[in-house]
Amino acid sequence: MTAAPNPIEQSFELAASRCVDLSPQVYHRLFERHPETRAMFRSQGSELVMGSMLALAIEAVLDFAGGRRGHFRMITCEAASHEAYGTSRELFISFFAIIRDALRDLLGDEWSPDIARAWDALLVEIDAFAGEPA
Ligand code: HEM
């Protein structure tokens, strides 16, 4: 028997049934809110890097909200390495809220109070966790 998905998993599952690739929604928001980030990505092959960054961030979030088997540790590691290439902690952490907002828009009526609460709590936890040393 598989366990019922937690509200965070549920939000990604519902999104996946509506949209194959979250990348355009997420990066459109990122570049709108933080236009300076557009120039941070390489001009050639950036789609691959951006797709892979998002996939790894989602894997880390799902693990952080779920079993904490290992991928969640990427959050502190990447927060540290991104600082080295000019992404402040604050900006780094804002990526998770951008993912949440992209999911919320995609889900529309299916964005339940349970999912909203779980994301609010998760973002507070990630904020505290990402501030810790890797
Ligand atoms: C707004 C916040 C963020 C910005 C501006 C940002 C920026 C970047 C940039 C510019 C690169 C490309 C470096 C290159 O060209 O080699 C990159 C790569 C990467 N980022 Fe981020 N990042 C952010 C948030 C995150 C988060 C939250 C995670 C995961 C927890 C993450 C994980 C990664 C990984 C794993 C790569 C390497 C991708 C690959 O080449 O496979 N980033 N990031």
Side-chain angles (χ1 to χ4, degrees):
M1 198 175 87
T2 42
N6 66 46
I8 303 292
E9 278 170 9
Q10 222 185 341
S11 64
F12 282 107
E13 281 174 10
L14 289 168
S17 67
R18 289 161 180 250
C19 157
V20 193
D21 181 11
L22 265 187
S23 237
Q25 328 252 0
V26 166
Y27 285 100
H28 175 74
R29 265 191 175 67
L30 175 66
F31 297 148
E32 207 173 61
R33 274 186 215 171
H34 305 284
E36 76 282 10
T37 58
R38 196 184 285 270
M40 294 167 77
F41 291 91
R42 63 187 87 195
S43 51
Q44 300 254 311
S46 66
E47 270 183 25
L48 282 178
V49 174
M50 292 194 301
S52 140
M53 178 174 123
L54 177 60
L56 291 167
I58 292 175
E59 227 170 80
V61 165
L62 285 170
D63 190 43
F64 189 82
R68 299 216 180 167
R69 292 176 211 279
H71 290 298
F72 77 101
R73 295 191 193 285
M74 181 183 293
I75 296 171
T76 43
C77 295
E78 289 296 332
S81 61
H82 279 61
E83 246 175 2
Y85 46 83
T87 308
S88 67
R89 291 273 160 149
E90 205 188 352
L91 178 58
F92 181 83
I93 290 166
S94 72
F95 195 65
F96 298 107
I98 288 172
I99 295 177
R100 188 267 315 265
D101 294 349
L103 291 172
R104 190 183 49 206
D105 279 10
L106 205 57
L107 263 54
D109 290 351
E110 285 188 291
W111 185 257
S112 67
D114 245 19
I115 292 178
R117 268 192 301 273
W119 267 100
D120 285 348
L122 183 78
L123 292 178
V124 172
E125 269 191 87
I126 288 182
D127 199 3
F129 179 68
E132 291 173 10

